[in-house]
Amino acid sequence: MVMYQRKDSNAPSTDSLVACRALVRGIDRSGQTLKKIAILGNFTLTGLSECVIAKSYLQDIFVEVFAGAYNQWQQEILSKNLYSFGPDIIFLFLDFHGLDQDFFLNDRSKIATYRKSFEHNTIDMVLRYLSELGSRTKAKIVISTAVKTWPPPHDILESKLADGWYEIIDFYNQKLKDWCRNSGQFFVFDLDQWLSHVGKKWAWNDKYLFVADMRVSPLALPLWAEELVSYLIPLSGQKKKCIVVDLDNTLWGGVIGEDGLGGIKLAPNGEGRPYYDFQKLLFNLSSRGAILAINSRNNEADAREVIDKHPHMLLRSDAFVASRINWQDKATNLREIATELNLGLDSLVFLDDDPSNRLLVKNVLPEVSVIELPNDHTMYPRVLMDYRGFNSFEFTEEDQKRSDMYRQDAARKELKRSHLDLDSFLADLKIEISIDQVSSTMIPRVAQLTQKTNQFNLTTKRYQEEDVNRLVSSGYRLWALRMRDRFGDYGLTGVCIVFSQSDFWIIDSLLLSCRILGKRVEEQFLGHILNLLKAIEPKKILGCYIPTSKNHQVKDFYQLFGFRKTKTESGADFWERDLVDYDFKPNNFIMTRLDKK
């Protein structure tokens, strides 16, 4: 049978489709990319890769691992194999025995000379290889500290020695930390501290050292893998955003409705200290950008009495951006909190001492992360410290102000209720936006937005700081959107990334924070950018929509600007329009400052 296909003069060209197909490569339908991990070291790491794969899968992160050959870390750094693999993150584990097998055998009288040699040779050598590695890859690089053996070589005299072995190891570790401190690419994994936490006596075992040059016990590999997977959470855009906490016997000890204010256990010492320290940890997470909310079955007046009046309460009412203190079930309250904050349920972490409430939420709202609090309340701080869902590679200005921004949103919603139509409400907000080319100071926030924005995100491509730097240096055009209104500053909340190929402009990424949606700012953002591109060169422009479980609302966004859907391939929709006749007319209630350079 011969099949004839009608020619479509509006069909996209081969060049444009090649470019657009590159946008969808490596992205699955959940919006998460397959993460590539490389593990290198100077001792045997057999089994660690398999444990990382298994532990990643439990976190809904899919990985591929490059396991470096035994003690070939230098060769791997210098060879092409590692870079052909294209890792997103590289773990490098170096032990002193592998760097210098005679480390503990030097004559005590010669130790000062040895230290100078070690500083100028071994340390410099490690830093040179790290520098080479960083120059040849955009991946995040995690280097381990050296481990102190126990007992120390000179027993109780070790602390008296000016050039003791421990002091040399400390010097090496500090050099690594200082070298990595100001880099967004390099991070230090404190292997020594982690082993001290889990127990060196069983995890750092000489038996496996002598049998297979294996420093870490096989029994400890799953625990070690969990630590490494915590680095993948920000890498894969799965950082959580909101902690929703119960009150009675969770945020404080006792039941306010039964015990009264005087019977509540909460103090910096005594039996109330675990709850006090628990609140300190929550306060710390809030200062790092996590937002706090309350979900409690209680009389609100009773609960507020503790929150506002208890002398040792660290988290007052203004620490929480949303609260449900009522007699509804916890799952219903969580749904309402997510809706109020315009967050996906998978952005929430739920803390409750009652196992029946935890079970209800796990069964009804499986997207919510439920932390299993133990029966022993003294372990609450430890359990919260061990939770890594809020890990991040950077800390931005927006993180610091996030709680204030959500409180400002509450005031906006109150204003909206006083207006009969959307246009009058938006006019009353007095919205101001600025659209600027991305500068070096914006890059950490731009990368952060690409990693965590899911709802208004046309392609859900995830970029690290190194990636954004590479795009800028490669000639891509990157614009950032900032917004403020009568209630406050939203900060940097939108990103558009465009590149040129042949006769086309191609939109690589277009995304906006969910906090600014519903105010028609998204229309102004893309409309002005299309005008800018037309002024630079009035050629055709292509956009791509890659569907995920969370971004259905932007499925037809390009249609608002006269784009036509020209093709659907690999589950992605390709949209196209000609800019020659494009002329965007901004609305009159959003004041726009535009960087036309």
Side-chain angles (χ1 to χ4, degrees), residues 247-304:
L247 298 178
D248 290 335
N249 287 317
T250 302
L251 206 57
W252 56 68
V255 178
I256 181 58
E258 299 175 2
D259 301 320
L261 186 64
I264 291 301
K265 298 179 179 65
L266 179 64
N269 48 53
E271 59 181 340
R273 181 174 176 180
Y275 299 102
Y276 187 81
D277 286 357
F278 188 64
Q279 288 197 27
K280 284 199 294 186
L281 291 171
L282 289 169
F283 182 86
N284 177 263
L285 284 170
S286 177
S287 69
R288 287 164 44 192
I291 57 176
L292 306 181
I294 296 172
N295 185 358
S296 172
R297 288 174 61 85
N298 232 317
N299 290 320
E300 183 161 10
D302 293 340
R304 293 292 177 192

Side-chain angles (χ1 to χ4, degrees), residues 107-144:
D107 189 302
R108 174 69 234 159
S109 63
K110 301 177 181 178
I111 190 63
T113 302
Y114 170 79
R115 174 169 178 166
K116 290 181 181 178
S117 173
F118 181 83
E119 290 177 17
H120 293 297
N121 295 319
T122 306
I123 294 179
D124 285 350
M125 178 270 294
V126 170
L127 296 182
R128 283 198 307 273
Y129 274 99
L130 286 177
S131 182
E132 177 69 17
L133 183 59
S135 70
R136 298 179 67 174
T137 179
K138 64 181 183 179
K140 297 291 185 185
I141 299 167
V142 181
I143 172 75
S144 70

Side-chain angles (χ1 to χ4, degrees), residues 54 112 126 157 162 179 201 229 233 340 348 391 473 483 485 493 523 542:
V126 170
L157 289 176
W179 194 85
K201 191 169 185 178
V229 170
I233 290 170
E340 178 183 339
L348 307 184
N391 271 7
S473 62
M483 174 178 165
D485 62 20
T493 49
E523 300 170 24
L542 291 169

Side-chain angles (χ1 to χ4, degrees), residues 53-156:
I53 292 171
K55 294 293 185 180
S56 298
Y57 180 77
L58 293 175
Q59 297 291 332
D60 293 325
I61 301 172
F62 300 93
V63 302
E64 185 179 349
V65 179
F66 176 98
Y70 163 69
N71 199 19
Q72 298 294 304
W73 65 278
Q74 293 155 301
Q75 291 87 335
E76 299 285 14
I77 289 174
L78 297 176
S79 74
K80 296 180 179 178
N81 293 338
L82 175 64
Y83 310 105
S84 297
F85 174 71
D88 296 296
I89 189 166
I90 300 169
F91 293 102
L92 177 58
F93 300 109
L94 301 179
D95 176 56
F96 256 57
H97 282 285
L99 293 174
D100 186 348
Q101 293 185 350
D102 297 328
F103 177 62
F104 293 112
L105 299 179
N106 283 277
D107 189 302
R108 174 69 234 159
S109 63
K110 301 177 181 178
I111 190 63
T113 302
Y114 170 79
R115 174 169 178 166
K116 290 181 181 178
S117 173
F118 181 83
E119 290 177 17
H120 293 297
N121 295 319
T122 306
I123 294 179
D124 285 350
M125 178 270 294
V126 170
L127 296 182
R128 283 198 307 273
Y129 274 99
L130 286 177
S131 182
E132 177 69 17
L133 183 59
S135 70
R136 298 179 67 174
T137 179
K138 64 181 183 179
K140 297 291 185 185
I141 299 167
V142 181
I143 172 75
S144 70
T145 59
V147 177
K148 299 176 183 176
T149 58
W150 188 265
H154 294 92
D155 292 318
I156 60 177

Side-chain angles (χ1 to χ4, degrees), residues 138-270:
K138 64 181 183 179
K140 297 291 185 185
I141 299 167
V142 181
I143 172 75
S144 70
T145 59
V147 177
K148 299 176 183 176
T149 58
W150 188 265
H154 294 92
D155 292 318
I156 60 177
L157 289 176
E158 186 71 32
S159 63
K160 297 288 187 179
L161 302 177
D163 292 302
W165 307 119
Y166 271 19
E167 197 165 280
I168 293 175
I169 292 175
D170 284 338
F171 179 79
Y172 168 80
N173 289 342
Q174 192 58 52
K175 274 288 220 182
L176 283 181
K177 293 174 182 177
D178 291 342
W179 194 85
C180 296
R181 193 179 310 280
N182 296 320
S183 168
Q185 184 178 19
F186 287 90
F187 296 83
V188 173
F189 174 67
D190 200 325
L191 182 58
D192 185 68
Q193 285 297 312
W194 176 75
L195 285 165
S196 297
H197 172 64
V198 300
K200 283 183 181 178
K201 191 169 185 178
W202 72 275
W204 191 256
N205 199 313
D206 287 345
K207 172 183 177 180
Y208 299 102
L209 167 64
F210 298 135
V211 171
D213 196 21
M214 193 173 192
R215 306 296 198 265
V216 179
S217 165
L219 298 176
L221 292 183
L223 293 176
W224 193 9
E226 286 182 1
E227 293 297 323
L228 304 190
V229 170
S230 71
Y231 285 85
L232 305 185
I233 290 170
L235 196 68
S236 57
Q238 294 199 28
K239 178 183 175 183
K240 302 301 180 182
K241 298 178 182 178
C242 178
I243 308 173
V244 185
V245 62
D246 178 42
L247 298 178
D248 290 335
N249 287 317
T250 302
L251 206 57
W252 56 68
V255 178
I256 181 58
E258 299 175 2
D259 301 320
L261 186 64
I264 291 301
K265 298 179 179 65
L266 179 64
N269 48 53

Side-chain angles (χ1 to χ4, degrees), residues 198-482:
V198 300
K200 283 183 181 178
K201 191 169 185 178
W202 72 275
W204 191 256
N205 199 313
D206 287 345
K207 172 183 177 180
Y208 299 102
L209 167 64
F210 298 135
V211 171
D213 196 21
M214 193 173 192
R215 306 296 198 265
V216 179
S217 165
L219 298 176
L221 292 183
L223 293 176
W224 193 9
E226 286 182 1
E227 293 297 323
L228 304 190
V229 170
S230 71
Y231 285 85
L232 305 185
I233 290 170
L235 196 68
S236 57
Q238 294 199 28
K239 178 183 175 183
K240 302 301 180 182
K241 298 178 182 178
C242 178
I243 308 173
V244 185
V245 62
D246 178 42
L247 298 178
D248 290 335
N249 287 317
T250 302
L251 206 57
W252 56 68
V255 178
I256 181 58
E258 299 175 2
D259 301 320
L261 186 64
I264 291 301
K265 298 179 179 65
L266 179 64
N269 48 53
E271 59 181 340
R273 181 174 176 180
Y275 299 102
Y276 187 81
D277 286 357
F278 188 64
Q279 288 197 27
K280 284 199 294 186
L281 291 171
L282 289 169
F283 182 86
N284 177 263
L285 284 170
S286 177
S287 69
R288 287 164 44 192
I291 57 176
L292 306 181
I294 296 172
N295 185 358
S296 172
R297 288 174 61 85
N298 232 317
N299 290 320
E300 183 161 10
D302 293 340
R304 293 292 177 192
E305 184 180 17
V306 184
I307 294 170
D308 296 331
K309 297 181 179 180
H310 195 284
H312 299 303
M313 187 74 187
L314 297 177
L315 301 172
R316 301 294 185 186
S317 290
D318 61 358
F320 301 96
V321 299
S323 64
R324 291 296 183 276
I325 306 174
N326 52 39
W327 296 100
Q328 290 187 143
D329 67 86
K330 297 296 180 80
T332 298
N333 281 342
L334 283 168
R335 282 197 191 96
E336 292 182 359
I337 289 170
T339 300
E340 178 183 339
L341 300 177
N342 201 14
L343 294 174
L345 288 167
D346 61 349
S347 295
L348 307 184
V349 177
F350 181 54
L351 288 162
D352 195 308
D353 69 294
D354 188 338
S356 64
N357 284 328
R358 298 197 300 267
L359 182 61
L360 171 70
V361 172
K362 282 195 277 189
N363 287 336
V364 178
L365 304 175
E367 307 96 323
V368 175
S369 293
V370 179
I371 296 181
E372 285 298 318
L373 291 177
N375 293 330
D376 183 356
H377 69 278
T378 64
M379 295 302 295
Y380 285 7
R382 168 51 56 189
V383 170
L384 187 56
M385 280 191 286
D386 287 341
Y387 182 72
R388 305 303 176 82
F390 293 95
N391 271 7
S392 178
F393 285 126
E394 67 278 310
F395 179 68
T396 66
E397 180 184 353
E398 282 75 11
D399 291 325
Q400 191 172 1
K401 298 178 178 178
R402 183 160 290 113
S403 292
D404 289 338
M405 292 175 178
Y406 275 95
R407 280 189 285 272
Q408 292 163 6
D409 277 343
R412 294 181 184 101
K413 290 173 182 175
E414 186 64 31
L415 176 66
K416 187 175 183 180
R417 283 191 283 269
S418 68
H419 286 271
L420 298 177
D421 62 87
L422 179 62
D423 284 355
S424 65
F425 163 64
L426 294 178
D428 203 7
L429 272 180
K430 296 180 172 52
I431 298 171
E432 300 176 17
I433 63 172
S434 61
I435 301 173
D436 299 284
Q437 293 192 60
V438 170
S439 64
S440 58
T441 59
M442 300 177 187
I443 287 176
R445 174 59 177 168
V446 169
Q448 184 185 65
L449 275 175
T450 70
Q451 294 157 25
K452 70 179 197 173
T453 305
N454 296 307
Q455 295 178 49
F456 196 104
N457 194 333
L458 276 294
T459 57
T460 53
K461 299 195 75 173
R462 311 298 188 186
Y463 288 125
Q464 302 297 322
E465 288 185 46
E466 296 75 28
D467 300 315
V468 179
N469 274 309
R470 176 178 54 82
L471 294 178
V472 171
S473 62
S474 299
Y476 281 59
R477 297 178 184 272
L478 288 79
W479 284 279
L481 171 76
R482 298 190 68 98

